[in-house]
Amino acid sequence: MSATGPRLRCLPARGLRAFCLLSALAAAACGTKASRPARSETVTAFRCGAEQAPTPKTAREARLLAAIQRAIGFFEQNREPFALLMLDVMRRRFDIRSFDDALTRYDQLLAQDSPRLPILRVFRRIADHDNVLLPGDAGVISTGVDQLTVPALYCDRMPLPNNYVDLLEQANGSGAYLRTHALLSLQWLRENACAVRTSPTYESALIDAIAKLIVVDGAASDLELEAAGFLYSYGRGDAVSTAFVDEAIAQQNQDGGWLVGNDERPGSDWHASITGIYLLLHAYCGARDYPPMLAPPRPASNAAPR
């Protein structure tokens, strides 16, 4: 996505007490870095696909779960539009009820006057399969990662560009963020049931190249968090080392977010933080049959005109 599911369940009283104890122990043990003052501790239940998230059985799982809780708190009042779209993905994929209003918050931003409105309307389809575009909206897509992701997002409604396969193939030899978004595009093409004829080794080579972007060196960068999160989302979490997930936990700020990188501006960044929480949720839940990233069609009686 440019500068690129799901209801809360109440835990039984006994399970809630155990969860709070483990979360408190984990928060004390994980040594997270300070950024803004810590938010008050709250417990937000979530699901792993069709099942309730399991109770942590080890100290590491407890640290991972505590990090997820902090990250959920970080985004409860967020108003960055592309973050809100990803929160809606997590609402559907992980049943996080505190993200239920993500699309509502997104639409409130669309009601404001902004030069970003066309691109925001385009990407709204992540959260609404029957999203309505205005004339000229698609024309804002010209260069960069959007040339990969937007055609994949609408491939069941609009024909792919004639050079689309070439763009996918070239992305693996281009910038790192083009590689990660090529993988995201493959996922959206798959979810929209759109077939593309890439070279026989393209997918495996792309996955290998993205995995090599992830280095365990004490600094979980925005790019590495995105690469790891998209690999997990694509069903290739096996390409992400446990050591990197542990590093991501250690690099989390006290406010629940992440920095762009150790050499960047101080303070948690929305993009690094959205990829961080997306990674940790998948890492905690493991390989599952998750709902798609893209919202499903609404029932025919509720569908909006295109």
Side-chain angles (χ1 to χ4, degrees):
M1 199 164 58
S2 292
T4 14
R7 294 186 303 268
L8 171 64
R9 300 283 193 252
C10 294
L11 293 173
R14 181 180 302 173
L16 180 60
R17 287 194 296 271
F19 181 93
C20 289
L21 176 60
L22 286 166
S23 295
L25 289 173
C30 67
T32 53
K33 302 190 301 179
S35 176
R36 298 198 301 260
R39 298 173 183 270
S40 58
E41 290 295 329
T42 58
V43 177
T44 301
F46 59 92
R47 299 181 71 84
C48 294
E51 302 175 4
Q52 188 69 44
T55 301
K57 297 181 176 62
T58 65
R60 179 184 180 275
E61 290 178 354
R63 288 194 296 272
L64 179 51
L65 189 56
I68 291 169
Q69 292 297 316
R70 287 190 294 273
I72 290 173
F74 177 81
F75 279 107
E76 284 182 347
Q77 303 301 319
N78 186 271
R79 291 185 62 81
E80 163 55 44
F82 291 112
L84 291 172
L85 291 178
M86 285 300 295
L87 295 184
D88 190 77
V89 171
M90 288 180 268
R91 174 190 67 82
R92 289 179 280 107
R93 188 164 268 217
F94 297 101
D95 207 12
I96 302 174
R97 287 295 294 272
S98 58
F99 297 161
D100 273 357
D101 65 343
L103 183 56
T104 298
R105 284 188 272 164
Y106 190 85
D107 286 342
Q108 289 170 350
L109 297 176
L110 281 178
Q112 302 173 9
D113 186 22
S114 167
R116 302 175 72 190
L117 289 182
I119 194 68
L120 295 182
R121 281 193 294 267
V122 167
F123 279 104
R124 188 181 180 277
R125 199 189 192 213
I126 295 170
D128 181 0
H129 181 274
D130 303 298
N131 182 51
V132 178
L133 294 178
L134 298 182
D137 281 352
V140 301
I141 309 306
S142 57
T143 60
V145 297
D146 294 344
Q147 285 188 304
L148 301 174
T149 55
V150 173
L153 183 59
Y154 286 91
C155 67
D156 59 330
R157 284 171 54 173
M158 305 176 187
L160 291 169
N162 292 333
N163 67 337
Y164 187 72
V165 171
D166 290 337
L167 292 174
L168 280 178
E169 299 266 6
Q170 292 165 9
N172 194 26
S174 303
Y177 282 101
L178 282 172
R179 289 192 181 102
T180 56
H181 284 76
L183 185 64
L184 178 64
S185 300
L186 289 183
Q187 180 164 352
W188 290 357
L189 288 165
R190 183 173 65 188
E191 291 182 359
N192 278 330
C194 300
V196 293
R197 289 179 174 271
T198 55
S199 61
T201 60
Y202 172 73
E203 182 178 329
S204 60
L206 179 64
I207 289 171
D208 288 344
I210 293 172
K212 289 177 181 177
L213 297 173
I214 305 168
V215 180
V216 180
D217 58 1
S221 69
D222 173 77
L223 174 62
E224 291 173 311
L225 292 169
E226 177 172 286
F230 285 0
L231 283 169
Y232 262 104
S233 183
Y234 196 70
R236 290 303 309 272
D238 59 296
V240 181
S241 70
T242 299
F244 179 74
V245 176
D246 290 342
E247 182 173 89
I249 297 171
Q251 291 294 310
Q252 186 184 34
N253 290 325
Q254 192 175 18
D255 64 4
W258 280 265
L259 303 176
V260 173
N262 281 349
D263 58 344
E264 301 285 348
R265 62 187 182 277
S268 293
D269 173 79
W270 76 264
H271 190 272
S273 300
I274 206 71
T275 55
I277 184 177
Y278 197 59
L279 164 63
L280 296 192
L281 282 164
H282 283 94
Y284 186 80
C285 289
R288 303 269 178 168
D289 184 17
Y290 294 105
M293 283 189 73
L294 303 181
R298 286 179 288 192
S301 59
N302 296 327
R306 295 183 180 180

